[in-house]
Amino acid sequence: MHDEVNSPSHYNSGGIETIDYIEAKLSPEEFRGFCLGNALKYLSRTGKKGDATIDLRKAQWYIARIKVKD
């Protein structure tokens, strides 16, 4: 089953999911910024490019990936 939010097939090529590769290459602080930027992108375009629910779920997915420093 195709999951457009949690594991889109176009981001899983070459044996590694793109988000995992990005996380491995960035510092924790850089990765938090990347995730926050993507969440803001999806929130700001909600409903302007198709199904608003998908945009909101994608923003939520990126927010969940942010690791908060203790």
Side-chain angles (χ1 to χ4, degrees):
M1 181 175 173
H2 178 70
D3 186 342
E4 191 172 336
V5 174
N6 295 300
S7 189
S9 59
H10 57 277
Y11 287 131
N12 193 0
S13 176
I16 186 169
E17 187 131 1
T18 305
I19 190 72
D20 295 327
Y21 179 77
I22 292 168
E23 185 174 18
K25 292 297 185 180
L26 299 178
S27 71
E29 184 177 358
E30 290 169 332
F31 186 68
R32 281 190 297 275
F34 173 81
C35 289
L36 180 58
N38 275 299
L40 291 170
K41 172 185 72 176
Y42 284 112
L43 288 171
S44 68
R45 76 170 217 189
T46 299
K48 297 176 182 166
K49 188 179 174 188
D51 186 348
T53 303
I54 292 174
D55 289 332
L56 293 172
R57 288 178 56 214
K58 285 183 177 182
Q60 186 177 34
W61 186 89
Y62 276 104
I63 290 166
R65 291 290 304 232
I66 296 172
K67 295 177 175 98
V68 180
K69 290 168 57 174
D70 293 333

